[in-house]
C-alpha cells in the first residue's frame, strides 16, 4: 500500500472519529462527558460548554474533510499538525482538573500524537523534491 493511501485512510479515520465525538457532545453532552476524563458531574448550565466543545470538534473535522476531499494534501498535513493542539489541550485540561490520567494520556495524548504523526507523514508525502543543479564545467588550468 502506498504512503498516500495510508495517509488518506488515517486522515479519514481521524475525520470520522472527531466528527463522531463532536456530534456526541452536541446531541448528548451528559453522556459524552463521562468519556472525556474530567471528574464529577455537570452542575448548573455546564452542559452548554460541552456543546461548545462538540461544535469545535465538528468544525475541526470539517476542515480536515474539506482539505482531504479537495486534494489539498499539503494543507491537510499542516491542519493535522495544528489541530493536534486541540487534543493536547484537552489532555492538559483533564490533567489540570485532576481527571483521569488514563483517559488524558490514553485518549487525548494518543490521539494528538497520532495526528502529529499522520500530519508529518502527509508533509513527507507532499514534499517537493529538490534537484541538484548540474555541475558546471570549469576548465582547469594546465
Amino acid at each position: 500500500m502506498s504512503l498516500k493511501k495510508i495517509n488518506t485512510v488515517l486522515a479519514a479515520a481521524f475525520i470520522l472519529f472527531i466528527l463522531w465525538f463532536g456530534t456526541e457532545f452536541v446531541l448528548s453532552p451528559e453522556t459524552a462527558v463521562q468519556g472525556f476524563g474530567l471528574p464529577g458531574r455537570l452542575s448548573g448550565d455546564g452542559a452548554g460548554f460541552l456543546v461548545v466543545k462538540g461544535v469545535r470538534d465538528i468544525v475541526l473535522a470539517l476542515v480536515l474533510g474539506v482539505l482531504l476531499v479537495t486534494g489539498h494534501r499539503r494543507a491537510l498535513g499542516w491542519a493535522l499538525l495544528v489541530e493536534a493542539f486541540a487534543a493536547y489541550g484537552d489532555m492538559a485540561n483533564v490533567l489540570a482538573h485532576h481527571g483521569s490520567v488514563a483517559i488524558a494520556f490514553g485518549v487525548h495524548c494518543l490521539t494528538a500524537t497520532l495526528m502529529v504523526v499522520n500530519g508529518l507523514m502527509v508533509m513527507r508525502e507532499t514534499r517537493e523534491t529538490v534537484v541538484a543543479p548540474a555541475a558546471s564545467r570549469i576548465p582547469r588550468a594546465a
Side-chain angles (χ1 to χ4, degrees):
M1 186 179 275
S2 71
L3 181 60
K4 184 174 181 177
K5 285 183 182 180
I6 292 169
N7 290 337
T8 300
V9 169
L10 287 174
F14 281 121
I15 292 165
L16 294 174
F17 173 73
I18 297 168
L19 190 60
W20 168 73
F21 206 67
T23 303
E24 189 176 26
F25 267 93
V26 170
L27 298 178
S28 181
E30 295 83 10
T31 306
V33 74
Q34 295 170 2
F36 189 74
L38 290 173
R41 308 245 336 126
L42 292 176
S43 58
D45 294 328
F49 287 102
L50 297 176
V51 172
V52 169
K53 186 236 182 292
V55 170
R56 177 202 74 176
D57 287 349
I58 291 169
V59 170
L60 292 175
L62 292 175
V63 167
L64 294 175
V66 166
L67 293 173
L68 182 64
V69 169
T70 59
H72 291 89
R73 301 207 45 100
R74 190 135 184 100
L76 174 64
W78 280 111
L80 282 161
L81 292 173
V82 170
E83 289 186 14
F85 283 104
Y88 282 128
D90 290 345
M91 175 196 70
N93 184 23
V94 170
L95 293 173
H97 291 91
H98 309 291
S100 169
V101 174
I103 292 176
F105 287 106
V107 175
H108 302 297
C109 184
L110 180 61
T111 299
T113 303
L114 290 174
M115 287 178 75
V116 167
V117 169
N118 189 205
L120 290 173
M121 287 174 40
V122 171
M123 298 295 283
R124 183 169 193 258
E125 163 206 326
T126 60
R127 74 175 181 225
E128 294 181 24
T129 307
V130 177
V131 178
S136 61
R137 303 261 179 195
I138 301 174
R140 292 187 181 191

